[in-house]
């Protein structure tokens, strides 16, 4: 059939055809000249789908679908190329928007490199197997933070907390080891336990205007 088509056509030429079969970048097309095989041109980023009307170029080396002219609105559009793809704006900004959402999916690595980055969302959910954060400074301003974790380890050179109220509920035990430990309470300091032990290798001093024991 290809030879019959070649005899009918004056090379090179273009015509409109309908996609009746898709196999990778290979296409089966039907036009007024008959059915024939073609390949998607490198410049045709929109993948042709069954039923699409495409512009075809015939030449001595074969036939190529140059562009998708018409398609059913219900058919999802897919842009694809073979090999690496780079989308660049030589000047100005590049925007990606979607009314119902935007998905970035890759089985490999996703990298964002920017002079500054900002995330704004009504809600954000992150599920991460391993997270490493490296930075010079971190500032967070939130109304409420809730953390549920199996294990938390914090290593810092200096830690400062400024709180209006603090509540700690520890089910089993708490251990604090320090070279120097100081507690200061402006109004009252209350220690209540079934057993209280105070041990010191040197001086133990209790000083107060009134001291009640027992």
């Amino acid at each position: 059939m290809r030879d019959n088509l070649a005899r009918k056509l004056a090379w090179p030429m273009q015509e409109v055809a309908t996609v009746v079969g898709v196999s990778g970048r290979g296409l089966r097309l039907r036009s007024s000249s008959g059915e024939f095989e073609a390949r998607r041109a490198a410049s045709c980023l929109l993948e042709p789908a069954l039923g699409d009307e495409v512009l075809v170029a015939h030449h001595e080396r074969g036939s190529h679908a140059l562009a998708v002219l018409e398609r059913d609105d219900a058919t999802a559009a897919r842009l694809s190329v073979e090999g690496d793809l780079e989308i660049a704006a030589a000047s100005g900004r590049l925007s990606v928007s979607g009314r119902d959402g935007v998905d970035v999916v890759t089985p490999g690595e996703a990298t964002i490199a920017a002079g500054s980055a900002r995330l704004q969302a009504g809600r954000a959910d992150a599920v991460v197997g391993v997270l490493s954060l490296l930075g010079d400074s971190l500032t967070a301003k939130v109304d409420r933070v809730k953390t549920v974790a199996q294990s938390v380890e914090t290593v810092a050179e200096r830690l400062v907390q400024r709180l209006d109220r603090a509540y700690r509920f520890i089910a089993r035990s708490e251990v604090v080891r320090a070279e120097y430990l100081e507690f200061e309470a402006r109004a009252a300091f209350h220690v209540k336990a079934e057993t209280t032990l105070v041990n010191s290798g040197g001086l133990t001093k209790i000083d107060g205007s009134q001291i009640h024991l027992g």
Side-chain angles (χ1 to χ4, degrees), residues 189-193 196:
F189 183 68
H190 182 198
V191 177
K192 183 179 180 181
T196 303

Side-chain angles (χ1 to χ4, degrees), residues 81-112:
V81 298
E82 291 183 353
D84 295 339
L85 173 64
E86 179 180 352
I87 301 176
S91 61
R93 297 178 62 87
L94 175 64
S95 299
V96 178
S97 63
R99 187 196 65 177
D100 298 327
V102 176
D103 295 332
V104 178
V105 181
T106 174
E109 181 183 46
T111 303
I112 298 177

Side-chain angles (χ1 to χ4, degrees), residues 37-53:
E37 303 290 335
R39 287 180 57 81
R40 182 157 60 101
S43 61
C44 184
L45 301 182
L46 179 61
E47 282 190 0
L50 293 177
D52 286 357
E53 288 188 357

Side-chain angles (χ1 to χ4, degrees), residues 198-200 202-206:
V198 179
N199 297 322
S200 63
L203 175 66
T204 299
K205 180 179 179 182
I206 300 176

Side-chain angles (χ1 to χ4, degrees), residues 15-180:
E15 67 172 335
V16 177
T18 302
V19 179
V20 295
V22 179
S23 177
R25 294 189 68 86
L27 304 171
R28 183 73 178 173
L29 304 178
R30 180 188 297 128
S31 69
S32 58
S33 304
E35 288 193 6
F36 55 93
E37 303 290 335
R39 287 180 57 81
R40 182 157 60 101
S43 61
C44 184
L45 301 182
L46 179 61
E47 282 190 0
L50 293 177
D52 286 357
E53 288 188 357
V54 297
L55 179 63
V56 186
H58 301 285
H59 49 87
E60 291 80 0
R61 296 193 306 273
S63 301
H64 283 82
L66 303 180
V68 176
L69 303 178
E70 295 286 346
R71 75 164 20 169
D72 187 353
D73 293 338
T75 303
R78 175 185 171 91
L79 304 180
S80 69
V81 298
E82 291 183 353
D84 295 339
L85 173 64
E86 179 180 352
I87 301 176
S91 61
R93 297 178 62 87
L94 175 64
S95 299
V96 178
S97 63
R99 187 196 65 177
D100 298 327
V102 176
D103 295 332
V104 178
V105 181
T106 174
E109 181 183 46
T111 303
I112 298 177
S116 64
R118 187 172 78 176
L119 172 64
Q120 182 176 352
R123 175 177 175 176
D125 297 322
V127 179
V128 182
V130 177
L131 175 63
S132 297
L133 177 62
L134 177 64
D136 295 332
S137 177
L138 174 63
T139 301
K141 297 180 180 180
V142 294
D143 291 335
R144 183 181 180 185
V145 176
K146 182 178 181 180
T147 302
V148 179
Q150 186 70 25
S151 177
V152 177
E153 181 176 348
T154 302
V155 179
E157 183 70 23
R158 184 169 180 263
L159 176 63
V160 178
Q161 292 181 319
R162 302 183 187 277
L163 309 171
D164 185 60
R165 291 181 179 87
Y167 301 90
R168 294 163 58 90
F169 301 93
I170 301 173
R172 299 183 63 181
S173 63
E174 181 179 20
V175 178
V176 178
R177 291 187 175 93
E179 182 178 355
Y180 176 79

